Amino acid sequence: MKIFNLSMECYPVAKVGGLADVVGALPKYLNRIEGIESSVVMPWYNKPFVHDHSFEIIFDGWIHQSHHTFQVQVMKERENSLGFDLYLVKIPGLLDRDNPYGYWDESQQFLAFQHAVLHWLSAMQIRPDVLHCHDYHTGLVPFMIENCPEFRFLKGVKTIGTIHNGEYQGQMVWDMAKYFPWFYGENWGLLDWNGYINPLTTMIKCCTAFNAVSGGYMDELFQDFRGLESLVQQEYLKANGIINGIDTEVWDPYIDPFLDFNYKKENAEQGKWQNKKALCEEYGLNPDLPLFSFIGRFAGEKGADFLPEIVWKSIQQSQGQHNIIILGSGDKSIENELSSLNASFSNFALDLGYKEYLSHRIYASSDFLLMPSRVEPCGLNQMYAMRYGTIPIVRYTGGLRDTVEDISTGGSGINFGSASAEDAVNAIHRALHIFKDRDLMERLVQTNMSFDFSWEKSAEKYLALYRK
Ligand code: ADP
């Protein structure tokens, strides 16, 4: 079975969030199953990975967008270093930039990517069994293969649409239709949602099957999906929930090259302490105090706007009996508020930016990882935390519900109910009590490190969906 994953991100080539981790791991694990050939197709970015690896150009062609003509090059990585075939699509002048997102013409970029991929596959007569489209950026592919005569060679190819984050739908004005490959006009309704082109709704309407990245999140989408509830309800027969796994070969405290000290379950207490000591020394924190952390995008979905209040309230209430370290970036007002707290609270350390190596060190060093998310489709941080023996403190939502059970019901994490600073601070107080009980802490660390979040199980579920 031949599967092409179409995505804007893939770890370690280009990562903004969890989408990259998933696309960088799922095909690798699927390829270990007899008869499966899963590969990744993504845009070319000006990134170190691209310059440090060798690629061959396997296709050179042209696409037309409105009155512009763009060159398209498809490059294949020579060494297969990631455990799957990696194809990069380069469109000079449009899709050859530093980062996946954030450009004024990104709708046009995503359209061009989808157009270019389908043009290449059609021209070279490559007919996969499944086109697996990740998020709205590739959500128009199921429409295009059925409705654009240029891609008639691909008509009937099965498509899976995975919703990694339903908050982003890619809505655009109808004027953008001029950038589409030519399509049969009578089917325009498949593109439309409330007077706009909405690629996420098109994906749901046109794909063979779709899934959310956890069962809990799929359930929530039926109730509240930014106005798309009625659509998923109508399309319920195509809906699935498949929880993400984590790449346990990348995320393993025993071999992780980013850690100051490697450790496994047997010496977790000592190993975590050594990492914590090194990190705390670097950031001027007292390692004897419990260390809480947050890693992520400063966005409303992540509850990052609660962070400033969580920091000052919890540290004041505990009278400086715990430390907090935050790694992230995003909303400038949150960055500014946290920066000024950083200047006035010695128990609080802040590192603004995206730092892969530091995230690994923080997962290993922390006693508790905080996730006050409003929305969390799956969430990977809590799984990385548990793998590194850190206790997750999570709001009870989406994938966090599916992966973290509260200590009070026999689990090894802390849940809290409402998305608010107050509930998060109360949860920190619970954690401070737990921290005082060394035996309980040790038991929780051991239990969390024993969980199997590896991709094998989730890859099997995707395979079952492909086969269906
Ligand atoms: P998202 O909604 O951002 O995709 P996920 O929990 O699915 O959230 O995945 C987040 C991923 O991004 C994790 O691998 C996390 O460690 C990483 N990450 C987020 N912010 C940062 C940062 N500032 N520096 C390093 N890694 C980060």
Side-chain angles (χ1 to χ4, degrees), residues 24-36:
L26 173 62
K28 178 168 92 175
Y29 285 86
L30 277 170
N31 283 341
R32 293 177 186 171
I33 301 171
E34 180 85 33
I36 303 298

Side-chain angles (χ1 to χ4, degrees), residues 15 17-18 21 296-297 302 327-328 353-355 363 379-381 384:
K15 171 170 167 179
D21 289 351
R297 295 180 289 120
K302 300 285 175 195
L327 165 65
Y354 187 93
K355 299 180 181 171
Y363 288 120
L380 295 171
N381 299 22
Y384 296 143

Side-chain angles (χ1 to χ4, degrees), residues 150-180:
E150 186 185 340
F151 313 130
R152 69 175 71 80
F153 174 76
L154 296 168
K155 212 170 164 53
V157 168
K158 306 294 182 218
T159 51
I160 303 284
T162 295
I163 305 169
H164 295 262
N165 194 335
E167 296 292 292
Y168 302 99
Q169 302 179 1
Q171 181 171 290
M172 57 183 120
V173 293
W174 264 98
D175 191 42
M176 291 296 292
K178 64 176 183 259
Y179 292 122
F180 276 60

